[in-house]
Amino acid sequence: MSSDDEDYLYDDDSDDSGNESTVNQDEDDDNDDFGMDIGLGEEASGSGGGGGGGLMMMVSGADKKGSDHAHPYEVLSTEQIVEHMVDCIKEVNSVIQIPTTTVRILLNHFKWDKEKLMERYFSDSQEQMFAEAKVVPPYKLGAKAMVAPDLGGRGVSLSAKSTLECEICYLTLPKSLTTALECGHPYCNSCWTEYITSKIMNEGASQSIECPGNCDILVDDVTVMKLVKDSKVKLKYQHLITNSFVDCNRLMRWCPAPDCPNAVKVQFVESRPVKCRCSHLFCFACSENWHDPVRCVLIKRWIKKCDDDSETSNWISANTKECPKCKATIEKDGGCNHMICRNQSCRADFCWVCLGPWEPHGSSWYNCNRYDEDEAKNARDSQEKSRAALQRYLFYCNRYMNHLQSLKFENNLYSMVKDKMDEMQQHNMSWIEVQFLKKAVDILCECRRTLMYTYVFAYYLKRNNQSELFEANQKDLENSTEHLSEYLERDISAENLVDIKQKVQDKFRYCDSRRRVLLDHVHEGYDRDWWVYTSDDITS
Amino acid sequence: MAGLPRRIVKETQRLMQEPVPGISAIPDDSNARYFHVVVAGPEGSPFEGGVFKLELFLPEDYPMSAPKVRFITKIYHPNIDKLGRICLDILKDKWSPALQIRTVLLSIQALLSAPNPDDPLANDVAELWKVNEVEAIRNARDWTRTYAMGN
C-alpha cells in the first residue's frame, strides 16, 4: 500500500468509500440485525467480505517520516469491531464445529483468546470447560432434538401442543408463546423480554445473563435479539458486547478522546503512537497522549504527581513551621523571631529560628545561639530537604506547564498562520509556495510536545555524563524552538518575504533534526541502560 | 395505581393455602405488597423457641428485582446486622424472577439453622462465632430469650 493511498484513506473518513461490501451492508441494515451479525445466520452473507475488506490499513500516522514503526495498525469503527468479533467466531467455528452462539460464549469465557479456547476444547477437560463457561455441551443437545431449524439460536420455541404455566408471571399460556434454553426451563416470551431488559439496562449485563431457572446456563445473543424488541435496549446490548470484546482484547484499545466511538487495533502490544480517525494521537500501551521520549511508567507517575496534592503538603513543609506547643501551622510573613502563637488557647512564646522556648534567649535574641542544637538542626535539615525537592519539582513543572500552555494555543497559531498565508499569496506567491508556514507550525507543535515531555524525563533523571548530553540537546532544541516561534510572529512585508521564508525554512529544518537527535539519544540510552533514575522503584 | 400483577395475587393465594411449616406471611390490609412475616426459630438452633418478626416488601419491579426483607425482632446472628438487614445471596445478585416469596422465606429459615460466619454482615458477632462458638451460641440463646419470646 503506498503512502498516497494511506493518506487518501486516512483523510477520507466522512464517506466510507474506502470500505467495501460488508461494512456498507451492515450500515444499511438497521442494528436490528446485530443478533444475526454475530450469530449463525450471518454466515452466508458475510463470508464474501471476510478478512476485513472494509478495514483501514495505515502506517503510523504520527511520525510518518522518521518512525521505526513499520507495523500497520487499524482504526476500527463500532461496525468494524463487530465484524472482527464475527471473524473471530467464524475462525474458531471452522475448526470446532459447534454452533456459533456457543462459540461466542466460550470465546468470551476465555477473554477472546482463540488459542486458549481450542487448547481446552481439545483437551480431556472439555466437559468441564463447558460447565465453567456455563453452556450446555452441544453434543448433549441431540437428545432433546427440539432445535427449530429456522431459529438458529439456542433459544427454542416449543411446539404448540399444550399449555404451561410461566413460573415468573404465573400465567397459563400455549407453549408456542414460551421460550427455553437447552436447559429446558420455559418462561413466557414477555417475561423473558422483561427479564433480559432489566439485566441489560439495570445491571449492565451482556454476556453473563443466566437462565432464571435453578441453573446457570447463559442466554446467547441470538435469543436476546429475538426476545428484545426495544431498539434502545438492543443498542445498549450491542455496546456492552463490543465493549467487553475490546476490553478483553490486548491488541485493541478504545480511543480515549471524549465521545470517540472508535478503537485502535495493533499487531502487538508496545508503547507506540497511534492516531485515531478523530485525529487524537495517543500511546497504545497506556492511552495517554503520545509522550515520547518519556516512558509510560514515568508519565503515569508524573500525571499522578501533578494531580495529587502531594506538592501542596511539600509546600507546607517547606514554607511553614508548626507551633512547638499546639502544632498549629504557621507561615511567617515578616517581623522578628520572637513568636507568640495566635492560637488563643495556646499563646506560646517561642523562637522562630530554633523553635525552642523564647525565655532563655534573653537579650541575645537576634543571634539565636541555640541554632545548632541537634534537634533544631534535624528539623532544619528536613525542611531544607523538602524545600529543595519542591524547588526541583517546581522547576520542571513550570517548564512542562509552559509548553502545555503553548500547545493549548495551537489552534490560534494555525489560524494566525493561515491569515499570513493568505497575505503572502496577495504578495504574488503561489499556494504551494506558502505551505512552508503550515509545515513550520506543525514542527513547532511537535517540538513543543517533545520538549514538554523531556522535562518529565529530566525530573526523574539522576545526573551523569549522558544526562548532561541530554540536557545540552534539550537546551539546544528549546532555543531553536523559541527562535522558530519568534520568526512565525514577525510581520511580513513584500520586501522581507523571501528572506523570512528562507529563515523559517532553515529554522524548522534545524528544529526538526534537533528533535530527532534528542529522541534518538534518549532511545539509545534506553537500549544501553544509560539512564539512572532518582527513585529506585522506577524500572525502565 | 395499577392493579396488582397476577403473579403477586397468585403467589399470595398459594402462600395462604399451603403455608411454609414454621413460617407465616400475611399481606398488610392496606398494602398487598407488604407482608408481615413471622418465623419460628428452627429446632436444634440457638434460636429454637423464639418467634421472629420480619417485614417483606415486593418492590415495583418484582419479580424482576428481589423482595426486600428485614428482621424486626432483634437477633444475634453473624449474617444479620443490628438493623435487621440480612446478608443472603438470593436477596442480592443471585436473585432470579423464578424464585418466590416462599423460596426466600425458606432460605431465611435455613440461614437461622446454619449461620455462615465466613460471609459476615455483623462483624463483631461473626468474629465471636469463629473464635468462640460456644459463647456466641450462648449469646444467641440469651438474645432469643430476651427479645423473641414473651409476646
mmCIF file with all atom_site columns, all heavy atoms in Angstrom, chain A residues 183-206:
data_model
loop_
_atom_site.group_PDB
_atom_site.id
_atom_site.type_symbol
_atom_site.label_atom_id
_atom_site.label_alt_id
_atom_site.label_comp_id
_atom_site.label_asym_id
_atom_site.label_entity_id
_atom_site.label_seq_id
_atom_site.pdbx_PDB_ins_code
_atom_site.Cartn_x
_atom_site.Cartn_y
_atom_site.Cartn_z
_atom_site.occupancy
_atom_site.B_iso_or_equiv
_atom_site.pdbx_formal_charge
_atom_site.auth_seq_id
_atom_site.auth_comp_id
_atom_site.auth_asym_id
_atom_site.auth_atom_id
_atom_site.pdbx_PDB_model_num
ATOM 1   N N   . CYS A 1 183 ? -31.365 -25.873 28.679 1.00 0.00 ? 183 CYS A N   1
ATOM 2   C CA  . CYS A 1 183 ? -31.587 -26.441 29.994 1.00 0.00 ? 183 CYS A CA  1
ATOM 3   C C   . CYS A 1 183 ? -33.060 -26.804 30.190 1.00 0.00 ? 183 CYS A C   1
ATOM 4   O O   . CYS A 1 183 ? -33.404 -27.475 31.155 1.00 0.00 ? 183 CYS A O   1
ATOM 5   C CB  . CYS A 1 183 ? -31.113 -25.459 31.054 1.00 0.00 ? 183 CYS A CB  1
ATOM 6   S SG  . CYS A 1 183 ? -31.783 -23.826 30.850 1.00 0.00 ? 183 CYS A SG  1
ATOM 7   N N   . GLY A 1 184 ? -33.918 -26.308 29.273 1.00 0.00 ? 184 GLY A N   1
ATOM 8   C CA  . GLY A 1 184 ? -35.308 -26.722 29.294 1.00 0.00 ? 184 GLY A CA  1
ATOM 9   C C   . GLY A 1 184 ? -36.176 -26.047 30.344 1.00 0.00 ? 184 GLY A C   1
ATOM 10  O O   . GLY A 1 184 ? -37.175 -26.614 30.765 1.00 0.00 ? 184 GLY A O   1
ATOM 11  N N   . HIS A 1 185 ? -35.812 -24.843 30.783 1.00 0.00 ? 185 HIS A N   1
ATOM 12  C CA  . HIS A 1 185 ? -36.690 -24.110 31.709 1.00 0.00 ? 185 HIS A CA  1
ATOM 13  C C   . HIS A 1 185 ? -37.496 -23.102 30.900 1.00 0.00 ? 185 HIS A C   1
ATOM 14  O O   . HIS A 1 185 ? -36.961 -22.080 30.497 1.00 0.00 ? 185 HIS A O   1
ATOM 15  C CB  . HIS A 1 185 ? -35.868 -23.375 32.764 1.00 0.00 ? 185 HIS A CB  1
ATOM 16  C CG  . HIS A 1 185 ? -35.056 -24.291 33.626 1.00 0.00 ? 185 HIS A CG  1
ATOM 17  N ND1 . HIS A 1 185 ? -33.690 -24.216 33.711 1.00 0.00 ? 185 HIS A ND1 1
ATOM 18  C CD2 . HIS A 1 185 ? -35.418 -25.313 34.429 1.00 0.00 ? 185 HIS A CD2 1
ATOM 19  C CE1 . HIS A 1 185 ? -33.244 -25.153 34.531 1.00 0.00 ? 185 HIS A CE1 1
ATOM 20  N NE2 . HIS A 1 185 ? -34.269 -25.840 34.984 1.00 0.00 ? 185 HIS A NE2 1
ATOM 21  N N   . PRO A 1 186 ? -38.784 -23.384 30.679 1.00 0.00 ? 186 PRO A N   1
ATOM 22  C CA  . PRO A 1 186 ? -39.558 -22.487 29.825 1.00 0.00 ? 186 PRO A CA  1
ATOM 23  C C   . PRO A 1 186 ? -40.163 -21.314 30.605 1.00 0.00 ? 186 PRO A C   1
ATOM 24  O O   . PRO A 1 186 ? -40.639 -21.481 31.741 1.00 0.00 ? 186 PRO A O   1
ATOM 25  C CB  . PRO A 1 186 ? -40.674 -23.406 29.311 1.00 0.00 ? 186 PRO A CB  1
ATOM 26  C CG  . PRO A 1 186 ? -40.859 -24.414 30.389 1.00 0.00 ? 186 PRO A CG  1
ATOM 27  C CD  . PRO A 1 186 ? -39.581 -24.517 31.169 1.00 0.00 ? 186 PRO A CD  1
ATOM 28  N N   . TYR A 1 187 ? -40.111 -20.140 30.007 1.00 0.00 ? 187 TYR A N   1
ATOM 29  C CA  . TYR A 1 187 ? -40.800 -18.972 30.551 1.00 0.00 ? 187 TYR A CA  1
ATOM 30  C C   . TYR A 1 187 ? -41.477 -18.292 29.387 1.00 0.00 ? 187 TYR A C   1
ATOM 31  O O   . TYR A 1 187 ? -41.058 -18.452 28.240 1.00 0.00 ? 187 TYR A O   1
ATOM 32  C CB  . TYR A 1 187 ? -39.811 -18.023 31.234 1.00 0.00 ? 187 TYR A CB  1
ATOM 33  C CG  . TYR A 1 187 ? -39.044 -18.693 32.338 1.00 0.00 ? 187 TYR A CG  1
ATOM 34  C CD1 . TYR A 1 187 ? -37.757 -19.151 32.110 1.00 0.00 ? 187 TYR A CD1 1
ATOM 35  C CD2 . TYR A 1 187 ? -39.629 -18.912 33.581 1.00 0.00 ? 187 TYR A CD2 1
ATOM 36  C CE1 . TYR A 1 187 ? -37.057 -19.812 33.108 1.00 0.00 ? 187 TYR A CE1 1
ATOM 37  C CE2 . TYR A 1 187 ? -38.935 -19.577 34.578 1.00 0.00 ? 187 TYR A CE2 1
ATOM 38  C CZ  . TYR A 1 187 ? -37.657 -20.025 34.340 1.00 0.00 ? 187 TYR A CZ  1
ATOM 39  O OH  . TYR A 1 187 ? -36.990 -20.688 35.319 1.00 0.00 ? 187 TYR A OH  1
ATOM 40  N N   . CYS A 1 188 ? -42.504 -17.502 29.693 1.00 0.00 ? 188 CYS A N   1
ATOM 41  C CA  . CYS A 1 188 ? -43.220 -16.887 28.581 1.00 0.00 ? 188 CYS A CA  1
ATOM 42  C C   . CYS A 1 188 ? -42.359 -15.797 27.981 1.00 0.00 ? 188 CYS A C   1
ATOM 43  O O   . CYS A 1 188 ? -41.501 -15.207 28.648 1.00 0.00 ? 188 CYS A O   1
ATOM 44  C CB  . CYS A 1 188 ? -44.575 -16.354 29.020 1.00 0.00 ? 188 CYS A CB  1
ATOM 45  S SG  . CYS A 1 188 ? -44.513 -14.799 29.866 1.00 0.00 ? 188 CYS A SG  1
ATOM 46  N N   . ASN A 1 189 ? -42.566 -15.536 26.700 1.00 0.00 ? 189 ASN A N   1
ATOM 47  C CA  . ASN A 1 189 ? -41.694 -14.616 25.992 1.00 0.00 ? 189 ASN A CA  1
ATOM 48  C C   . ASN A 1 189 ? -41.684 -13.218 26.603 1.00 0.00 ? 189 ASN A C   1
ATOM 49  O O   . ASN A 1 189 ? -40.646 -12.557 26.626 1.00 0.00 ? 189 ASN A O   1
ATOM 50  C CB  . ASN A 1 189 ? -42.099 -14.538 24.513 1.00 0.00 ? 189 ASN A CB  1
ATOM 51  C CG  . ASN A 1 189 ? -41.767 -15.842 23.802 1.00 0.00 ? 189 ASN A CG  1
ATOM 52  O OD1 . ASN A 1 189 ? -41.022 -16.673 24.332 1.00 0.00 ? 189 ASN A OD1 1
ATOM 53  N ND2 . ASN A 1 189 ? -42.336 -16.042 22.621 1.00 0.00 ? 189 ASN A ND2 1
ATOM 54  N N   . SER A 1 190 ? -42.826 -12.769 27.106 1.00 0.00 ? 190 SER A N   1
ATOM 55  C CA  . SER A 1 190 ? -42.825 -11.399 27.616 1.00 0.00 ? 190 SER A CA  1
ATOM 56  C C   . SER A 1 190 ? -42.054 -11.319 28.939 1.00 0.00 ? 190 SER A C   1
ATOM 57  O O   . SER A 1 190 ? -41.418 -10.308 29.224 1.00 0.00 ? 190 SER A O   1
ATOM 58  C CB  . SER A 1 190 ? -44.242 -10.852 27.740 1.00 0.00 ? 190 SER A CB  1
ATOM 59  O OG  . SER A 1 190 ? -44.918 -11.509 28.780 1.00 0.00 ? 190 SER A OG  1
ATOM 60  N N   . CYS A 1 191 ? -42.093 -12.403 29.741 1.00 0.00 ? 191 CYS A N   1
ATOM 61  C CA  . CYS A 1 191 ? -41.282 -12.397 30.964 1.00 0.00 ? 191 CYS A CA  1
ATOM 62  C C   . CYS A 1 191 ? -39.803 -12.430 30.615 1.00 0.00 ? 191 CYS A C   1
ATOM 63  O O   . CYS A 1 191 ? -38.991 -11.752 31.242 1.00 0.00 ? 191 CYS A O   1
ATOM 64  C CB  . CYS A 1 191 ? -41.629 -13.581 31.858 1.00 0.00 ? 191 CYS A CB  1
ATOM 65  S SG  . CYS A 1 191 ? -43.135 -13.319 32.799 1.00 0.00 ? 191 CYS A SG  1
ATOM 66  N N   . TRP A 1 192 ? -39.466 -13.241 29.620 1.00 0.00 ? 192 TRP A N   1
ATOM 67  C CA  . TRP A 1 192 ? -38.074 -13.283 29.156 1.00 0.00 ? 192 TRP A CA  1
ATOM 68  C C   . TRP A 1 192 ? -37.607 -11.889 28.758 1.00 0.00 ? 192 TRP A C   1
ATOM 69  O O   . TRP A 1 192 ? -36.530 -11.444 29.147 1.00 0.00 ? 192 TRP A O   1
ATOM 70  C CB  . TRP A 1 192 ? -37.955 -14.198 27.926 1.00 0.00 ? 192 TRP A CB  1
ATOM 71  C CG  . TRP A 1 192 ? -37.543 -15.602 28.189 1.00 0.00 ? 192 TRP A CG  1
ATOM 72  C CD1 . TRP A 1 192 ? -38.290 -16.723 27.976 1.00 0.00 ? 192 TRP A CD1 1
ATOM 73  C CD2 . TRP A 1 192 ? -36.269 -16.065 28.673 1.00 0.00 ? 192 TRP A CD2 1
ATOM 74  N NE1 . TRP A 1 192 ? -37.569 -17.847 28.309 1.00 0.00 ? 192 TRP A NE1 1
ATOM 75  C CE2 . TRP A 1 192 ? -36.333 -17.473 28.743 1.00 0.00 ? 192 TRP A CE2 1
ATOM 76  C CE3 . TRP A 1 192 ? -35.108 -15.414 29.066 1.00 0.00 ? 192 TRP A CE3 1
ATOM 77  C CZ2 . TRP A 1 192 ? -35.265 -18.255 29.178 1.00 0.00 ? 192 TRP A CZ2 1
ATOM 78  C CZ3 . TRP A 1 192 ? -34.039 -16.200 29.506 1.00 0.00 ? 192 TRP A CZ3 1
ATOM 79  C CH2 . TRP A 1 192 ? -34.122 -17.600 29.566 1.00 0.00 ? 192 TRP A CH2 1
ATOM 80  N N   . THR A 1 193 ? -38.455 -11.215 27.962 1.00 0.00 ? 193 THR A N   1
ATOM 81  C CA  . THR A 1 193 ? -38.088 -9.888  27.477 1.00 0.00 ? 193 THR A CA  1
ATOM 82  C C   . THR A 1 193 ? -37.844 -8.948  28.651 1.00 0.00 ? 193 THR A C   1
ATOM 83  O O   . THR A 1 193 ? -36.841 -8.229  28.692 1.00 0.00 ? 193 THR A O   1
ATOM 84  C CB  . THR A 1 193 ? -39.210 -9.334  26.574 1.00 0.00 ? 193 THR A CB  1
ATOM 85  O OG1 . THR A 1 193 ? -39.488 -10.313 25.588 1.00 0.00 ? 193 THR A OG1 1
ATOM 86  C CG2 . THR A 1 193 ? -38.794 -8.038  25.920 1.00 0.00 ? 193 THR A CG2 1
ATOM 87  N N   . GLU A 1 194 ? -38.778 -9.004  29.599 1.00 0.00 ? 194 GLU A N   1
ATOM 88  C CA  . GLU A 1 194 ? -38.659 -8.098  30.740 1.00 0.00 ? 194 GLU A CA  1
ATOM 89  C C   . GLU A 1 194 ? -37.404 -8.431  31.556 1.00 0.00 ? 194 GLU A C   1
ATOM 90  O O   . GLU A 1 194 ? -36.663 -7.549  31.991 1.00 0.00 ? 194 GLU A O   1
ATOM 91  C CB  . GLU A 1 194 ? -39.912 -8.233  31.610 1.00 0.00 ? 194 GLU A CB  1
ATOM 92  C CG  . GLU A 1 194 ? -40.176 -7.010  32.450 1.00 0.00 ? 194 GLU A CG  1
ATOM 93  C CD  . GLU A 1 194 ? -41.370 -7.223  33.376 1.00 0.00 ? 194 GLU A CD  1
ATOM 94  O OE1 . GLU A 1 194 ? -42.318 -7.942  32.974 1.00 0.00 ? 194 GLU A OE1 1
ATOM 95  O OE2 . GLU A 1 194 ? -41.323 -6.703  34.486 1.00 0.00 ? 194 GLU A OE2 1
ATOM 96  N N   . TYR A 1 195 ? -37.166 -9.721  31.720 1.00 0.00 ? 195 TYR A N   1
ATOM 97  C CA  . TYR A 1 195 ? -36.006 -10.179 32.489 1.00 0.00 ? 195 TYR A CA  1
ATOM 98  C C   . TYR A 1 195 ? -34.702 -9.729  31.830 1.00 0.00 ? 195 TYR A C   1
ATOM 99  O O   . TYR A 1 195 ? -33.839 -9.125  32.470 1.00 0.00 ? 195 TYR A O   1
ATOM 100 C CB  . TYR A 1 195 ? -36.058 -11.704 32.592 1.00 0.00 ? 195 TYR A CB  1
ATOM 101 C CG  . TYR A 1 195 ? -34.824 -12.354 33.176 1.00 0.00 ? 195 TYR A CG  1
ATOM 102 C CD1 . TYR A 1 195 ? -34.489 -12.172 34.531 1.00 0.00 ? 195 TYR A CD1 1
ATOM 103 C CD2 . TYR A 1 195 ? -34.000 -13.153 32.397 1.00 0.00 ? 195 TYR A CD2 1
ATOM 104 C CE1 . TYR A 1 195 ? -33.371 -12.771 35.067 1.00 0.00 ? 195 TYR A CE1 1
ATOM 105 C CE2 . TYR A 1 195 ? -32.875 -13.767 32.937 1.00 0.00 ? 195 TYR A CE2 1
ATOM 106 C CZ  . TYR A 1 195 ? -32.563 -13.566 34.273 1.00 0.00 ? 195 TYR A CZ  1
ATOM 107 O OH  . TYR A 1 195 ? -31.453 -14.160 34.797 1.00 0.00 ? 195 TYR A OH  1
ATOM 108 N N   . ILE A 1 196 ? -34.578 -9.991  30.536 1.00 0.00 ? 196 ILE A N   1
ATOM 109 C CA  . ILE A 1 196 ? -33.344 -9.644  29.833 1.00 0.00 ? 196 ILE A CA  1
ATOM 110 C C   . ILE A 1 196 ? -33.147 -8.131  29.809 1.00 0.00 ? 196 ILE A C   1
ATOM 111 O O   . ILE A 1 196 ? -32.057 -7.611  30.037 1.00 0.00 ? 196 ILE A O   1
ATOM 112 C CB  . ILE A 1 196 ? -33.358 -10.220 28.395 1.00 0.00 ? 196 ILE A CB  1
ATOM 113 C CG1 . ILE A 1 196 ? -33.309 -11.750 28.458 1.00 0.00 ? 196 ILE A CG1 1
ATOM 114 C CG2 . ILE A 1 196 ? -32.188 -9.698  27.578 1.00 0.00 ? 196 ILE A CG2 1
ATOM 115 C CD1 . ILE A 1 196 ? -33.573 -12.436 27.137 1.00 0.00 ? 196 ILE A CD1 1
ATOM 116 N N   . THR A 1 197 ? -34.254 -7.407  29.558 1.00 0.00 ? 197 THR A N   1
ATOM 117 C CA  . THR A 1 197 ? -34.170 -5.951  29.528 1.00 0.00 ? 197 THR A CA  1
ATOM 118 C C   . THR A 1 197 ? -33.666 -5.407  30.865 1.00 0.00 ? 197 THR A C   1
ATOM 119 O O   . THR A 1 197 ? -32.795 -4.550  30.907 1.00 0.00 ? 197 THR A O   1
ATOM 120 C CB  . THR A 1 197 ? -35.558 -5.348  29.212 1.00 0.00 ? 197 THR A CB  1
ATOM 121 O OG1 . THR A 1 197 ? -36.009 -5.899  27.982 1.00 0.00 ? 197 THR A OG1 1
ATOM 122 C CG2 . THR A 1 197 ? -35.475 -3.837  29.088 1.00 0.00 ? 197 THR A CG2 1
ATOM 123 N N   . SER A 1 198 ? -34.219 -5.948  31.954 1.00 0.00 ? 198 SER A N   1
ATOM 124 C CA  . SER A 1 198 ? -33.794 -5.415  33.245 1.00 0.00 ? 198 SER A CA  1
ATOM 125 C C   . SER A 1 198 ? -32.331 -5.779  33.527 1.00 0.00 ? 198 SER A C   1
ATOM 126 O O   . SER A 1 198 ? -31.600 -5.005  34.122 1.00 0.00 ? 198 SER A O   1
ATOM 127 C CB  . SER A 1 198 ? -34.739 -5.874  34.360 1.00 0.00 ? 198 SER A CB  1
ATOM 128 O OG  . SER A 1 198 ? -34.194 -6.921  35.106 1.00 0.00 ? 198 SER A OG  1
ATOM 129 N N   . LYS A 1 199 ? -31.897 -6.944  33.071 1.00 0.00 ? 199 LYS A N   1
ATOM 130 C CA  . LYS A 1 199 ? -30.483 -7.323  33.250 1.00 0.00 ? 199 LYS A CA  1
ATOM 131 C C   . LYS A 1 199 ? -29.578 -6.372  32.475 1.00 0.00 ? 199 LYS A C   1
ATOM 132 O O   . LYS A 1 199 ? -28.534 -5.949  32.969 1.00 0.00 ? 199 LYS A O   1
ATOM 133 C CB  . LYS A 1 199 ? -30.245 -8.766  32.758 1.00 0.00 ? 199 LYS A CB  1
ATOM 134 C CG  . LYS A 1 199 ? -30.745 -9.812  33.723 1.00 0.00 ? 199 LYS A CG  1
ATOM 135 C CD  . LYS A 1 199 ? -29.738 -10.036 34.836 1.00 0.00 ? 199 LYS A CD  1
ATOM 136 C CE  . LYS A 1 199 ? -30.323 -10.965 35.884 1.00 0.00 ? 199 LYS A CE  1
ATOM 137 N NZ  . LYS A 1 199 ? -29.500 -11.090 37.071 1.00 0.00 ? 199 LYS A NZ  1
ATOM 138 N N   . ILE A 1 200 ? -29.976 -6.053  31.241 1.00 0.00 ? 200 ILE A N   1
ATOM 139 C CA  . ILE A 1 200 ? -29.140 -5.201  30.395 1.00 0.00 ? 200 ILE A CA  1
ATOM 140 C C   . ILE A 1 200 ? -29.163 -3.770  30.901 1.00 0.00 ? 200 ILE A C   1
ATOM 141 O O   . ILE A 1 200 ? -28.114 -3.142  31.101 1.00 0.00 ? 200 ILE A O   1
ATOM 142 C CB  . ILE A 1 200 ? -29.616 -5.240  28.923 1.00 0.00 ? 200 ILE A CB  1
ATOM 143 C CG1 . ILE A 1 200 ? -29.410 -6.645  28.344 1.00 0.00 ? 200 ILE A CG1 1
ATOM 144 C CG2 . ILE A 1 200 ? -28.877 -4.206  28.083 1.00 0.00 ? 200 ILE A CG2 1
ATOM 145 C CD1 . ILE A 1 200 ? -30.035 -6.859  26.987 1.00 0.00 ? 200 ILE A CD1 1
ATOM 146 N N   . MET A 1 201 ? -30.345 -3.251  31.112 1.00 0.00 ? 201 MET A N   1
ATOM 147 C CA  . MET A 1 201 ? -30.464 -1.834  31.430 1.00 0.00 ? 201 MET A CA  1
ATOM 148 C C   . MET A 1 201 ? -30.082 -1.520  32.880 1.00 0.00 ? 201 MET A C   1
ATOM 149 O O   . MET A 1 201 ? -29.492 -0.494  33.147 1.00 0.00 ? 201 MET A O   1
ATOM 150 C CB  . MET A 1 201 ? -31.884 -1.331  31.138 1.00 0.00 ? 201 MET A CB  1
ATOM 151 C CG  . MET A 1 201 ? -32.322 -1.516  29.702 1.00 0.00 ? 201 MET A CG  1
ATOM 152 S SD  . MET A 1 201 ? -31.155 -0.875  28.471 1.00 0.00 ? 201 MET A SD  1
ATOM 153 C CE  . MET A 1 201 ? -31.603 0.859   28.432 1.00 0.00 ? 201 MET A CE  1
ATOM 154 N N   . ASN A 1 202 ? -30.454 -2.396  33.822 1.00 0.00 ? 202 ASN A N   1
ATOM 155 C CA  . ASN A 1 202 ? -30.186 -2.063  35.223 1.00 0.00 ? 202 ASN A CA  1
ATOM 156 C C   . ASN A 1 202 ? -28.850 -2.566  35.712 1.00 0.00 ? 202 ASN A C   1
ATOM 157 O O   . ASN A 1 202 ? -28.212 -1.936  36.553 1.00 0.00 ? 202 ASN A O   1
ATOM 158 C CB  . ASN A 1 202 ? -31.274 -2.636  36.134 1.00 0.00 ? 202 ASN A CB  1
ATOM 159 C CG  . ASN A 1 202 ? -32.650 -2.116  35.769 1.00 0.00 ? 202 ASN A CG  1
ATOM 160 O OD1 . ASN A 1 202 ? -32.761 -1.097  35.087 1.00 0.00 ? 202 ASN A OD1 1
ATOM 161 N ND2 . ASN A 1 202 ? -33.681 -2.815  36.184 1.00 0.00 ? 202 ASN A ND2 1
ATOM 162 N N   . GLU A 1 203 ? -28.422 -3.715  35.188 1.00 0.00 ? 203 GLU A N   1
ATOM 163 C CA  . GLU A 1 203 ? -27.184 -4.284  35.717 1.00 0.00 ? 203 GLU A CA  1
ATOM 164 C C   . GLU A 1 203 ? -26.034 -4.197  34.731 1.00 0.00 ? 203 GLU A C   1
ATOM 165 O O   . GLU A 1 203 ? -24.908 -4.563  35.057 1.00 0.00 ? 203 GLU A O   1
ATOM 166 C CB  . GLU A 1 203 ? -27.420 -5.751  36.119 1.00 0.00 ? 203 GLU A CB  1
ATOM 167 C CG  . GLU A 1 203 ? -28.367 -5.893  37.294 1.00 0.00 ? 203 GLU A CG  1
ATOM 168 C CD  . GLU A 1 203 ? -28.702 -7.352  37.585 1.00 0.00 ? 203 GLU A CD  1
ATOM 169 O OE1 . GLU A 1 203 ? -27.848 -8.221  37.331 1.00 0.00 ? 203 GLU A OE1 1
ATOM 170 O OE2 . GLU A 1 203 ? -29.816 -7.606  38.061 1.00 0.00 ? 203 GLU A OE2 1
ATOM 171 N N   . GLY A 1 204 ? -26.319 -3.754  33.513 1.00 0.00 ? 204 GLY A N   1
ATOM 172 C CA  . GLY A 1 204 ? -25.257 -3.675  32.513 1.00 0.00 ? 204 GLY A CA  1
ATOM 173 C C   . GLY A 1 204 ? -24.691 -5.042  32.176 1.00 0.00 ? 204 GLY A C   1
ATOM 174 O O   . GLY A 1 204 ? -23.526 -5.175  31.842 1.00 0.00 ? 204 GLY A O   1
ATOM 175 N N   . ALA A 1 205 ? -25.519 -6.064  32.267 1.00 0.00 ? 205 ALA A N   1
ATOM 176 C CA  . ALA A 1 205 ? -25.042 -7.411  31.955 1.00 0.00 ? 205 ALA A CA  1
ATOM 177 C C   . ALA A 1 205 ? -25.209 -7.660  30.463 1.00 0.00 ? 205 ALA A C   1
ATOM 178 O O   . ALA A 1 205 ? -26.164 -7.196  29.857 1.00 0.00 ? 205 ALA A O   1
ATOM 179 C CB  . ALA A 1 205 ? -25.837 -8.438  32.741 1.00 0.00 ? 205 ALA A CB  1
ATOM 180 N N   . SER A 1 206 ? -24.267 -8.358  29.866 1.00 0.00 ? 206 SER A N   1
ATOM 181 C CA  . SER A 1 206 ? -24.444 -8.720  28.467 1.00 0.00 ? 206 SER A CA  1
ATOM 182 C C   . SER A 1 206 ? -24.118 -10.193 28.259 1.00 0.00 ? 206 SER A C   1
ATOM 183 O O   . SER A 1 206 ? -24.940 -10.970 27.799 1.00 0.00 ? 206 SER A O   1
ATOM 184 C CB  . SER A 1 206 ? -23.549 -7.862  27.577 1.00 0.00 ? 206 SER A CB  1
ATOM 185 O OG  . SER A 1 206 ? -22.191 -8.035  27.945 1.00 0.00 ? 206 SER A OG  1
#
